[in-house]
Amino acid sequence: MTEKDDKGYTMIIVLCLMFLFMALALSMLFSSAQTLARAGRESARKQSRASAVSFAEWIDEELGRLPANGAEGKPNNLSGWTKKRLLDDRNWPAYTGGLEGEEEVAILTYRPYVSETSELKEEELGQLEVKMYWEAEDGGIDPEAPDVNLVVTVKAVVRGEQFSVTTRYAKNLDNSGSWDGTWNMRGRE
């Protein structure tokens, strides 16, 4: 073989090695992008869980402060509309899940917002949605019945990842068997 033939083979070997190193570099870049995306999704999932659980715990505290049927109580941060529906509005039937259009009447839905003056922004806290409804153990629709539970579902969505927390509250009954306006948490899912 001549020296000229060796240069051609050497050039082919060098080009093959360059392509191999380029393919390895691209695979490492793709792998790191996948890892970063997975970490971002995991972070959003954890933040949505933390937001939903924290807001559900805040609602626990707020429900503990609600005064019984118009009585004066501790200050409360739940919206006035929500307090009115929880305490005074008798046209809010229990949710049975079996009637058409029942959700519109029986489920109270609102979206709390984070004000622009707050230290927490919506990107950090996520979008929150709260659903409240009465659930009768016997399938009835009377919210005044002593065996009706209050069900509160908090859903938080952060960067496309969502988490929901559902809490059930039983009515605390006084000695006469009537509701004293307070709740006892029965469980959280």
Side-chain angles (χ1 to χ4, degrees):
M1 281 195 158
T2 65
E3 198 173 298
K4 202 176 201 180
D5 290 338
D6 285 344
K7 286 184 182 178
Y9 290 125
T10 306
M11 183 64 79
I12 291 173
I13 291 172
V14 167
L15 284 174
C16 287
L17 286 174
M18 282 180 30
F19 285 128
L20 178 65
F21 287 132
M22 192 180 322
L24 287 172
L26 287 174
S27 70
M28 287 175 51
L29 183 65
F30 179 73
S31 174
S32 65
Q34 289 291 331
T35 302
L36 182 63
R38 191 176 312 118
R41 283 192 309 270
E42 183 66 20
S43 170
R45 188 182 66 77
K46 286 182 179 180
Q47 181 59 45
S48 67
R49 182 183 190 285
S51 293
V53 169
S54 297
F55 201 75
E57 289 173 353
W58 178 81
I59 288 177
D60 287 346
E61 292 175 18
E62 292 300 303
L63 287 175
R65 293 182 188 156
L66 281 177
N69 296 332
E72 290 298 318
K74 298 177 187 172
N76 187 286
N77 291 322
L78 283 175
S79 72
W81 183 67
T82 304
K83 285 191 283 191
K84 179 176 177 7
R85 292 290 301 265
L86 285 173
L87 298 174
D88 302 327
D89 193 350
R90 304 297 181 231
N91 296 322
W92 187 19
Y95 179 66
T96 62
L99 303 174
E100 186 175 327
E102 181 183 25
E103 285 186 23
E104 296 170 6
V105 177
I107 298 177
L108 168 66
T109 302
Y110 71 99
R111 289 185 171 86
Y113 65 93
V114 179
S115 73
E116 294 182 12
T117 59
S118 173
E119 294 175 10
L120 290 174
K121 301 295 180 203
E122 192 170 279
E123 297 87 37
E124 299 167 359
L125 190 60
Q127 296 174 336
L128 295 170
E129 179 182 77
V130 178
K131 291 186 176 193
M132 295 182 174
Y133 59 93
W134 300 108
E135 180 180 68
E137 293 176 7
D138 63 357
I141 61 170
D142 181 16
E144 297 296 317
D147 64 340
V148 171
N149 299 317
L150 177 67
V151 180
V152 179
T153 300
V154 177
K155 180 174 82 171
V157 179
V158 177
R159 296 187 304 273
E161 296 292 324
Q162 69 180 15
F163 190 83
S164 295
V165 175
T166 300
T167 311
R168 285 183 165 67
Y169 301 91
K171 291 180 176 180
N172 285 332
L173 305 176
D174 59 17
N175 292 338
S176 66
S178 60
W179 179 40
D180 68 3
T182 60
W183 285 273
N184 179 25
M185 185 171 71
R186 293 187 64 194
R188 180 167 280 153
E189 307 168 2

